[in-house]
Amino acid sequence: MSAIPHDFIRKTAQLSEEVTRPFPSSRKIYVTGSRPDIRVPMREVILTPTQTHQGPEENPPIPIYDTSGPYTDPEAKIDLRAGLPDIRSGWIAERADTEQLEGPTSAFGRARQNDPRLAHLRFEHLRTPRRAKSGRNVTQMHYARLGIITPEMEYVAIRENLRLDELRADPRYAKLLRQHPGQSFGAALPETITPEFVRDEIARGRAIIPANINHPELEPMIIGRNFRVKINTNIGNSALSSSIAEEVEKMVWSVRWGGDTLMDLSTGKHIHETREWILRNAPVPIGTVPIYQALEKVDGRPEELSWELVRDTLIEQAEQGVDYFTLHAGVLLRYLPLTADRLTGIVSRGGSILAKWCLAHHQENFLYTHFEEICEILKAYDVAISLGDGLRPGSLADANDAAQFAELKTLGELTQVAWRHDVQVMIEGPGHVPLQMIRENMTKELADCFEAPFYTLGPIVTDIAPAYDHITSGMGAANIGWYGTAMLCYVTPKEHLGLPNKEDVRAGIITYKIAAHAADLAKGLPGAQIRDNALSKARFEFRWEDQFNLALDPERARDYHDATLPHQSHKVA
Amino acid sequence: MSAIPHDFIRKTAQLSEEVTRPFPSSRKIYVTGSRPDIRVPMREVILTPTQTHQGPEENPPIPIYDTSGPYTDPEAKIDLRAGLPDIRSGWIAERADTEQLEGPTSAFGRARQNDPRLAHLRFEHLRTPRRAKSGRNVTQMHYARLGIITPEMEYVAIRENLRLDELRADPRYAKLLRQHPGQSFGAALPETITPEFVRDEIARGRAIIPANINHPELEPMIIGRNFRVKINTNIGNSALSSSIAEEVEKMVWSVRWGGDTLMDLSTGKHIHETREWILRNAPVPIGTVPIYQALEKVDGRPEELSWELVRDTLIEQAEQGVDYFTLHAGVLLRYLPLTADRLTGIVSRGGSILAKWCLAHHQENFLYTHFEEICEILKAYDVAISLGDGLRPGSLADANDAAQFAELKTLGELTQVAWRHDVQVMIEGPGHVPLQMIRENMTKELADCFEAPFYTLGPIVTDIAPAYDHITSGMGAANIGWYGTAMLCYVTPKEHLGLPNKEDVRAGIITYKIAAHAADLAKGLPGAQIRDNALSKARFEFRWEDQFNLALDPERARDYHDATLPHQSHKVA
């Protein structure tokens, strides 16, 4: 008999129909790679024929990059209590460089596992964690530098291509493949993504595949300037407002609309258990800010943090399967005075926690002083590091200032340290930046951080529109994505105001999917314009259903159309 | 006794509280110019003090550009039946170059005025139209070229400055005046806008003040690259869905949120009467596409259009007070074959009407062949011309093609014809353009149309997001505004799908206010950053009410905040 009370099971085992219903007129397809266990999911939108005087003319199906995991596959049996199917364990095991541990090695992880009071919250099918064998390095970067193409690399190559080579060979797609030349600002986008290209980009540090060996459920994806621009979404319970069940539902909602990775920023008493449920059911990489949980462990008093506590937290989370950690290791004591004259000081939560610790102890940031040890932990699980921008501007006034760029230089120094350990790195960026100053952020990041992937929050291009900051930041995001940012962290309409609900999350994701796609088009990503062309053709031919079905949000497009009577003059673009 | 039935009066005389309530913690101020009848409205947001250890520290009021007219002035008595106060008649009369006509001179205008069946719809206080005396030219451009600074020019100079010189002299604003240098792409933004600068820009054709002598109610505003970027909104009844009362309410709603000009795209039986109600109550310039009404007069059959019919329509609308006409005079017969290979043909409604006429008659577009006569009409009332882009692309695929740029060249040729008549001109632009191709539109427009103000629809930067096209187009709008577009035509979430409701209009306007402001900041418009700085300071100091009150949409910001409990971690940017 399960130790989980009936009510809780019911809530977590059953996602709402809203988050799982398949997309209209779509089928889930799987493209098989060089071995049968490489099966890459895509969505194909099936279109109706065009009626011409010569009879019907076929409109071929359009393949779409699909982040939604098995949840939108009508064939898949979803059981949140069992978690998603494990698709990578075979790949990990056959590398023979890891070992199954007897249990968690972090003190906190062990305590949680053995606490009978948590039984009713705990994910039932806990797997014991896996770790690199002593002296081994299990990062994708390590393999890449050894010249090894892993199944993960082949998987992302197939995924990025979206069957483009087949489409090119098929005359039905000839007109749809028309595309304007891009302006790539130095990005090197190949006509076809090969597994070898993926390997090479990872080896150089220009791309990462966040894929912890303890998160074998994930469908590998790549973050890098020469691939599709990705988006991250955030979820986070608050002690006040949400349950574990709601967090899992939010995660599924997020991947449904196109979230490529997800950061779990939960606070409160049951972070550890919530994270386990999310990870076991997440088809996308999960990131965290470990210092948030460490702070919970010292009751919210930054000055009581210590390297030992954070170290235990990193191991705890790495053994659960977190795929990347945001660590604000570049917030140095000597940079803090540079923020004194700012309009809005230090606004990054992680940055301000570490600044308080540094000032309380008059010591250098322990994430910086212990950075090599951090890398030792990360490479034993293949956790990627997202170097946090703790001194990012909190207002336009503070954009691109000395504090921000001093930290960026340090992030570059740390990138080189991480790369010596073959640890995968990305760099976080701002924040609040007016349009004309965005480009400088990208240029400096590429130079100072040696082309490590840039991962930016917005940026917001004006401060005067709270309640619309998904839009203010979407404008900045489209531009910085065009200039070369690899992943855009979404912003919702509730930014600066409160906690997003499901509709806010949807609005934030769609806005960022737009920004990312606009950036792909602008860079000239091969094949990026197919969906635009197919939708425009449907629109011009009044094939309304096809227009809806090709949209980023088919449900809303259909609803809006149906809300008013269709009227000829409004059917013209 | 009024001929207007009681129900109709009640509906039109009383706007809803929603569209007229004053903005929170704001006061309407009027800045007086060189003569007492130049009184320029602004809104000032009153802020609370910052609590410091040394006691309260004042936060001075922030002036905001105000398009809302008397509707948000608690002192104003609004009576839609009487129309807005007439603020320009004195200025027009004292120029002594116009005459009051005995009645409308267009055949259609006379017929409508004398049709007893329309009495119940008609605006009661019809003014007889005014027209230039024979041989006189009453355009602002004409006066500017004669070296005359009109009250309208002084008015917009004061309005654009937003009291910046006073703020510069006031030490309380010193920190708030900090601003990043812009990147202006050749715009020449002066530190202070003088009436002489306004005159000079109008004389050169780089800016226009749309202000028909028959629309004396309007509060003058300027459209030009060296001034604040403006936004246009559209309203339009449909025979199916709205009444005259609703159209007036929509206009007031539009100016409330920041619409700088408004195009009335109404169709249906009572276009003439609807327009009269809108004009008499509109504090902003009103634009139309006269060919739409002309088409109604021939029951929707483009081939039955004629120059004579359109000529009568231009005079009809000019005598009502329309401030600018969109005329697709650049759609030439020889350009039509250039659209044959397009994915989405001709999507502009005006463009396709004229293309049909040209093809049906195998003749050149009559708006082109009669362009000098059109200018003769326009200069007798000071109607500005907005040269329509009838061949604009309807999809990314068709962006920046030969058809579009051929038409643009012709618009430049027509600009020079109009300027020979001292007729004010702006140029319409696309449409659907990927990010990397937007700049070319601006560069070509400046070159081919001799720096006449550019007025663009979006552009939409991807075609895959119906239901979110305010956002896809807002991204393009922010960029093209930065590059030099003078006015951005808004797009609502219902674009391509259906008729916008009030919430859609609000979402479209706020998105475009964001784009316009982001562009002002990026260009380095002096003083543009004050509001951002004041709001950021309020945010950093947790002055929530001040943050809301400084927002573009204070009501929504407050609602979103109140929807979830304020939580410390979410108060950090």
Side-chain angles (χ1 to χ4, degrees):
Chain A
M1 198 192 123
S2 166
I4 304 179
H6 180 69
D7 234 35
F8 185 78
I9 290 180
R10 199 169 49 74
K11 275 169 73 184
T12 53
Q14 290 181 5
L15 294 165
S16 70
E17 190 264 342
E18 186 183 36
V19 306
T20 54
R21 61 170 169 254
F23 280 92
S25 194
S26 292
R27 69 176 163 229
K28 192 107 180 173
I29 59 168
Y30 293 90
V31 177
T32 305
S34 63
R35 37 191 277 182
D37 63 350
I38 297 181
R39 292 179 69 242
V40 182
M42 294 172 194
R43 177 157 69 93
E44 262 192 355
V45 182
I46 315 300
L47 303 178
T48 62
T50 301
Q51 301 306 329
T52 73
H53 293 302
Q54 290 78 43
E57 182 185 276
E58 185 187 359
N59 288 297
I62 304 298
I64 288 180
Y65 191 99
D66 187 358
T67 58
S68 65
Y71 296 105
T72 52
D73 184 348
E75 308 291 306
K77 244 191 97 221
I78 303 297
D79 178 359
L80 300 188
R81 287 166 302 180
L84 292 181
D86 160 356
I87 63 174
R88 288 203 306 133
S89 283
W91 308 344
I92 294 162
E94 73 194 23
R95 292 194 276 258
D97 51 6
T98 58
E99 60 193 358
Q100 199 88 36
L101 301 170
E102 285 177 19
T105 68
S106 77
F108 189 85
R110 277 195 305 274
R112 298 302 279 195
Q113 181 156 328
N114 298 326
D115 187 340
R117 289 167 305 174
L118 298 171
H120 68 291
L121 294 173
R122 199 174 288 133
F123 185 79
E124 284 179 286
H125 303 277
L126 282 178
R127 202 189 286 114
T128 55
R130 195 174 266 281
R131 190 177 62 191
K133 287 178 182 165
S134 174
R136 302 299 293 269
N137 185 329
V138 299
T139 71
Q140 294 289 324
M141 187 180 215
H142 185 68
Y143 305 132
R145 287 176 163 182
L146 292 175
I148 297 167
I149 293 172
T150 61
E152 286 88 345
M153 296 174 200
E154 184 185 339
Y155 190 104
V156 302
I158 295 169
R159 197 170 192 185
E160 291 286 320
N161 280 326
L162 271 185
R163 303 182 59 235
L164 185 55
D165 280 342
E166 285 164 75
L167 269 47
R168 284 177 177 140
D170 183 338
R172 296 174 304 165
Y173 291 93
K175 212 168 171 186
L176 295 176
L177 284 164
R178 290 201 297 193
Q179 183 166 343
H180 298 292
Q183 178 183 359
S184 73
F185 295 104
L189 302 159
E191 278 303 295
T192 302
I193 307 269
T194 61
E196 169 56 23
F197 179 77
V198 171
R199 188 204 61 73
D200 188 59
E201 290 287 299
I202 292 173
R204 284 168 176 237
R206 285 209 299 214
I208 67 172
I209 296 180
N212 185 324
I213 55 170
N214 290 307
H215 187 198
E217 300 89 349
L218 79 75
E219 297 173 345
M221 54 77 71
I222 193 161
I223 301 167
R225 170 159 77 118
N226 295 321
F227 302 92
R228 289 168 195 277
V229 174
K230 304 303 188 298
I231 72 164
N232 174 67
T233 68
N234 298 325
I235 58 172
N237 71 332
S238 109
L240 294 168
S241 68
S242 54
S243 68
I244 291 179
E246 284 172 287
E247 294 310 301
V248 175
E249 169 109 359
K250 277 194 227 165
M251 178 272 291
V252 178
W253 183 245
S254 159
V255 300
R256 172 181 184 76
W257 294 114
D260 290 288
T261 73
L262 182 137
M263 292 195 75
D264 175 16
L265 306 179
S266 296
T267 53
K269 276 192 303 185
H270 301 122
I271 304 181
H272 181 90
E273 289 70 30
T274 306
R275 187 187 304 126
E276 189 73 32
W277 281 93
I278 290 173
L279 278 162
R280 298 291 72 81
N281 288 290
V284 298
I286 300 296
T288 62
V289 188
I291 203 91
Y292 292 180
Q293 188 184 1
L295 193 68
E296 299 272 339
K297 294 176 182 175
V298 292
D299 295 326
R301 289 188 285 264
E303 62 280 10
E304 294 187 14
L305 287 169
S306 67
W307 161 238
E308 291 67 29
L309 181 75
V310 170
R311 183 180 183 283
D312 195 69
T313 305
L314 298 180
I315 295 170
E316 172 205 342
Q317 297 195 6
E319 293 187 348
Q320 285 189 294
V322 171
D323 301 289
Y324 63 90
F325 290 154
T326 290
L327 295 172
H328 299 89
V331 177
L332 302 191
L333 197 51
R334 67 178 181 274
Y335 299 156
L336 302 183
L338 298 176
T339 66
D341 191 40
R342 280 183 160 184
L343 187 65
T344 53
I346 298 177
V347 298
S348 146
R349 186 163 176 242
S352 79
I353 292 166
L354 287 157
K356 280 181 191 143
W357 187 91
C358 292
L359 293 170
H361 294 269
H362 294 287
Q363 279 180 28
E364 195 49 278
N365 181 343
F366 54 78
L367 296 176
Y368 180 79
T369 55
H370 291 272
F371 195 72
E372 300 259 5
E373 288 163 82
I374 290 172
C375 291
E376 294 291 346
I377 296 169
L378 303 184
K379 70 191 189 192
Y381 305 94
D382 199 8
V383 180
I385 188 167
S386 183
L387 287 166
D389 55 337
L391 303 181
R392 70 167 181 266
S395 57
L396 257 54
D398 296 340
N400 297 17
D401 73 352
Q404 184 197 330
F405 286 143
E407 182 187 33
L408 185 65
K409 269 272 190 201
T410 299
L411 300 187
E413 174 199 326
L414 294 171
T415 297
Q416 292 192 303
V417 175
W419 284 352
R420 282 203 301 273
H421 291 269
D422 295 345
V423 165
Q424 302 189 94
V425 178
M426 58 183 170
I427 307 292
E428 295 187 13
H432 294 241
V433 187
L435 278 174
Q436 83 279 20
M437 296 168 72
I438 291 177
R439 179 93 198 277
E440 184 182 19
N441 281 274
M442 190 71 234
T443 310
K444 272 204 191 298
E445 192 275 343
L446 291 172
D448 291 353
C449 300
F450 316 100
E451 300 191 276
F454 205 23
Y455 165 34
T456 64
L457 178 63
I460 279 171
V461 298
T462 165
D463 293 329
I464 69 171
Y468 298 84
D469 277 337
H470 58 312
I471 298 176
T472 61
S473 68
M475 292 171 183
N479 277 26
I480 206 164
W482 173 21
Y483 302 150
T485 288
M487 186 158 76
L488 307 168
C489 182
Y490 93 152
V491 167
T492 79
K494 293 274 171 61
E495 183 76 15
H496 299 116
L497 298 171
L499 296 173
N501 62 23
K502 261 172 133 177
E503 276 312 307
D504 297 322
V505 168
R506 180 184 188 166
I509 294 176
I510 300 292
T511 302
Y512 273 69
K513 292 302 279 186
I514 293 168
H517 185 64
D520 284 342
L521 289 164
K523 288 160 72 177
L525 183 90
Q529 206 180 301
I530 295 174
R531 189 174 177 182
D532 297 80
N533 293 344
L535 191 146
S536 295
K537 184 168 186 286
R539 180 177 283 158
F540 191 63
E541 294 169 355
F542 299 113
R543 290 184 285 116
W544 287 97
E545 289 298 322
D546 290 346
Q547 183 186 160
F548 304 148
N549 295 336
L550 284 163
L552 280 176
D553 186 344
E555 296 169 14
R556 181 122 319 152
R558 183 174 285 104
D559 289 350
Y560 278 6
H561 175 260
D562 294 349
T564 55
L565 285 177
H567 187 258
Q568 192 57 30
S569 69
H570 296 279
K571 286 188 177 163
V572 175
Chain B
M1 197 194 123
S2 165
I4 305 180
H6 181 69
D7 233 35
F8 185 78
I9 291 181
R10 199 172 46 76
K11 275 168 76 185
T12 53
Q14 289 181 7
L15 293 165
S16 71
E17 190 265 342
E18 186 183 38
V19 306
T20 54
R21 61 172 169 254
F23 280 92
S25 195
S26 292
R27 70 177 163 229
K28 192 106 181 174
I29 61 168
Y30 294 89
V31 177
T32 305
S34 63
R35 38 191 277 182
D37 63 350
I38 297 180
R39 294 178 68 241
V40 183
M42 294 174 194
R43 176 157 70 92
E44 264 193 353
V45 182
I46 315 301
L47 304 177
T48 62
T50 301
Q51 302 305 329
T52 73
H53 293 302
Q54 290 79 44
E57 183 185 274
E58 186 189 358
N59 289 298
I62 304 299
I64 288 180
Y65 190 99
D66 187 358
T67 58
S68 66
Y71 297 104
T72 51
D73 184 348
E75 309 292 308
K77 243 192 96 216
I78 302 297
D79 178 359
L80 300 188
R81 286 165 304 182
L84 291 181
D86 161 356
I87 62 175
R88 288 203 305 132
S89 283
W91 308 343
I92 295 162
E94 74 193 22
R95 292 195 276 257
D97 51 6
T98 58
E99 59 193 0
Q100 201 88 35
L101 301 171
E102 285 179 19
T105 67
S106 77
F108 190 85
R110 277 197 304 272
R112 297 303 277 194
Q113 181 155 326
N114 298 327
D115 187 341
R117 289 167 305 174
L118 298 171
H120 67 290
L121 294 173
R122 198 175 288 133
F123 186 79
E124 284 180 285
H125 304 277
L126 282 178
R127 203 188 285 112
T128 55
R130 195 175 267 281
R131 191 178 60 191
K133 287 180 182 163
S134 175
R136 303 298 294 268
N137 185 330
V138 300
T139 72
Q140 294 289 325
M141 187 180 215
H142 185 69
Y143 304 131
R145 286 176 164 184
L146 292 175
I148 299 168
I149 293 172
T150 61
E152 287 88 343
M153 296 174 198
E154 183 184 341
Y155 190 105
V156 302
I158 295 169
R159 197 170 191 185
E160 291 285 319
N161 280 325
L162 272 186
R163 303 180 60 235
L164 185 56
D165 279 343
E166 286 165 73
L167 269 48
R168 284 178 177 138
D170 183 337
R172 297 175 304 166
Y173 291 92
K175 214 171 169 180
L176 294 176
L177 284 164
R178 290 200 300 192
Q179 182 166 344
H180 298 291
Q183 179 184 357
S184 73
F185 295 104
L189 302 159
E191 278 303 296
T192 302
I193 308 271
T194 61
E196 168 55 22
F197 179 76
V198 171
R199 188 205 60 73
D200 187 59
E201 290 287 300
I202 292 172
R204 285 168 176 239
R206 286 209 298 213
I208 68 173
I209 296 180
N212 186 324
I213 56 171
N214 289 308
H215 187 197
E217 301 89 350
L218 79 75
E219 297 173 345
M221 53 78 71
I222 193 162
I223 300 167
R225 171 159 77 119
N226 295 321
F227 302 92
R228 290 171 194 275
V229 174
K230 303 304 187 296
I231 72 164
N232 173 69
T233 68
N234 299 325
I235 58 171
N237 71 332
S238 111
L240 295 168
S241 68
S242 55
S243 69
I244 292 179
E246 284 172 287
E247 294 310 302
V248 175
E249 169 111 358
K250 278 193 229 165
M251 178 273 290
V252 178
W253 183 245
S254 160
V255 301
R256 172 181 184 76
W257 293 114
D260 291 288
T261 73
L262 181 137
M263 291 194 75
D264 175 15
L265 306 179
S266 295
T267 53
K269 277 193 301 186
H270 300 122
I271 304 181
H272 182 90
E273 290 70 32
T274 307
R275 187 186 306 125
E276 189 73 33
W277 281 93
I278 291 173
L279 277 162
R280 299 290 72 79
N281 288 288
V284 299
I286 300 296
T288 62
V289 188
I291 203 91
Y292 292 179
Q293 188 185 0
L295 192 68
E296 299 271 341
K297 295 177 183 175
V298 292
D299 294 324
R301 288 188 285 266
E303 63 280 9
E304 295 187 12
L305 288 169
S306 66
W307 161 239
E308 291 68 31
L309 181 75
V310 170
R311 182 180 183 283
D312 195 71
T313 305
L314 298 180
I315 295 171
E316 170 204 343
Q317 297 195 7
E319 292 187 350
Q320 284 190 296
V322 172
D323 302 288
Y324 63 91
F325 290 154
T326 290
L327 295 172
H328 299 90
V331 176
L332 301 191
L333 198 52
R334 67 177 181 275
Y335 299 156
L336 302 183
L338 298 176
T339 65
D341 192 40
R342 280 183 158 184
L343 187 64
T344 54
I346 299 177
V347 298
S348 147
R349 185 163 175 242
S352 78
I353 292 167
L354 287 156
K356 278 179 194 145
W357 187 91
C358 293
L359 292 172
H361 294 269
H362 295 286
Q363 279 180 29
E364 195 51 279
N365 182 342
F366 55 79
L367 297 176
Y368 180 80
T369 55
H370 292 271
F371 196 72
E372 301 260 5
E373 287 164 82
I374 292 172
C375 292
E376 294 292 346
I377 297 169
L378 303 183
K379 71 190 187 191
Y381 306 94
D382 199 8
V383 180
I385 188 167
S386 183
L387 286 167
D389 54 339
L391 303 181
R392 71 168 181 268
S395 57
L396 258 54
D398 296 339
N400 295 19
D401 73 353
Q404 184 196 332
F405 286 143
E407 183 187 32
L408 186 65
K409 269 274 190 199
T410 298
L411 301 187
E413 174 199 327
L414 295 171
T415 298
Q416 292 191 304
V417 175
W419 285 352
R420 282 203 302 273
H421 292 268
D422 295 345
V423 165
Q424 304 189 94
V425 178
M426 58 183 170
I427 308 292
E428 296 187 11
H432 293 241
V433 187
L435 280 174
Q436 83 279 18
M437 296 169 71
I438 292 177
R439 180 91 197 277
E440 184 182 20
N441 279 275
M442 191 70 232
T443 311
K444 273 203 192 295
E445 192 276 342
L446 291 171
D448 290 352
C449 299
F450 316 99
E451 298 191 277
F454 204 22
Y455 164 33
T456 64
L457 177 63
I460 278 172
V461 297
T462 164
D463 294 328
I464 69 171
Y468 297 84
D469 277 337
H470 58 312
I471 299 177
T472 61
S473 67
M475 292 171 183
N479 277 25
I480 206 163
W482 173 21
Y483 303 149
T485 287
M487 184 157 77
L488 306 169
C489 182
Y490 93 152
V491 167
T492 78
K494 292 274 171 61
E495 183 76 14
H496 300 116
L497 298 171
L499 296 172
N501 61 24
K502 261 172 134 176
E503 276 312 307
D504 297 322
V505 168
R506 179 183 189 167
I509 295 176
I510 300 291
T511 301
Y512 273 70
K513 293 301 278 186
I514 292 169
H517 185 64
D520 285 341
L521 289 164
K523 287 160 71 176
L525 182 92
Q529 206 180 300
I530 295 174
R531 188 174 177 183
D532 296 82
N533 293 344
L535 191 146
S536 295
K537 184 169 187 285
R539 180 176 282 158
F540 192 63
E541 293 170 355
F542 298 114
R543 290 183 286 116
W544 286 97
E545 289 297 323
D546 289 347
Q547 185 187 156
F548 305 148
N549 296 336
L550 284 163
L552 279 177
D553 186 345
E555 297 169 13
R556 180 120 322 150
R558 182 174 286 103
D559 289 348
Y560 278 6
H561 175 261
D562 293 350
T564 53
L565 285 176
H567 187 258
Q568 191 60 27
S569 70
H570 297 279
K571 286 186 180 166
V572 174

